[in-house]
Structure formats: C-alpha cells, structure tokens
Amino acid sequence: MLAAAQRLRRSADFAAAIRGGRRVGRGTVVVHLLLEEPAQAPAARAGFVVSKAVGNAVVRNKVRRRLRHLVRPLLGELPAGSTLVVRALPAAADASYATLGTDLSAALVAARKPRRPR
C-alpha cells in the first residue's frame, strides 16, 4: 500500500496530471507525470487507472496491486509535489511482473527527460 499522503484520490488531481503532465507510453502502461512546485504537496503522489478493457475485476485488481508495488520505491526519486498517474493498457493483463516493471521504469525515465526544442 501507498501512504495516504502519496495517493491521488480526487478526480481533479487525476485530470490535472493527465491534461497538464507529460505523457509517455510503453508496451503495457502509459505514464502521465506532472512536475509542480514543492509548495503544492509535501511528497510525490501517484494514482492508477485500470479500465475494464484490461480485464475483469480480478485481473484489474491484480494489475493495480502490481503497479502500486512497483511505483512505491520510484516515488522517492521524484521531486516533492509531482503527480504521477499510471494508466494500464490491455496488454498489462497478460504481462509478467518483470515486464510491467521494465515498462514502468522506462516510461518514467522518458517522462522525466527534458523536452527537445523543435
């Protein structure tokens, strides 16, 4: 489980991260990362979106538990005040724990990279 201060609960927080954050997708997940001022929140926070397209309730909860376990150590590396939303894709239902971890960390590294000027 994530600590209460590390969880996203309000739909407005999810919407802000999805609309204003940087989006990076990999094979099984899409990561939305919004880096904000540290005054907004004392710690980095995370939320998860696992739709019915992933599978039935048992499969969705299994995917959510795996993602939550994988995100917990990564939150300490993010700056305070950042918001992370992890959206599971349908391929996450059949993916192994290692594959989910690889995709999640690769997406998070890409989301933290500065954007190239056009």
Side-chain angles (χ1 to χ4, degrees):
M1 291 275 301
L2 292 173
Q6 294 178 323
R7 280 184 267 166
L8 285 180
R9 292 199 180 113
R10 299 180 327 151
S11 64
D13 294 337
F14 278 90
I18 289 172
R19 288 189 186 118
R22 183 128 186 250
R23 179 185 57 169
V24 176
R26 292 296 179 257
T28 57
V29 295
V30 175
V31 168
H32 299 270
L33 181 62
L34 179 63
L35 300 173
E36 291 184 355
E37 296 297 321
Q40 294 288 337
R45 300 178 305 156
F48 304 92
V49 177
V50 184
S51 72
K52 287 187 178 181
V54 174
N56 63 20
V58 174
V59 173
R60 291 193 311 268
N61 284 324
K62 181 176 87 170
V63 169
R64 191 177 300 115
R65 281 192 310 269
R66 285 179 170 185
L67 289 173
R68 195 180 312 133
H69 185 75
L70 289 165
V71 164
R72 188 175 20 190
L74 299 174
L75 278 180
E77 301 170 7
L78 293 176
S82 57
T83 304
L84 173 69
V85 173
V86 180
R87 185 166 44 97
L89 297 175
D94 300 324
S96 67
Y97 183 80
T99 304
L100 276 176
T102 304
D103 287 349
L104 180 64
S105 26
L108 200 53
V109 165
R112 292 188 70 184
K113 274 187 187 174
R115 291 186 177 163
R116 292 180 294 170
R118 291 184 178 196

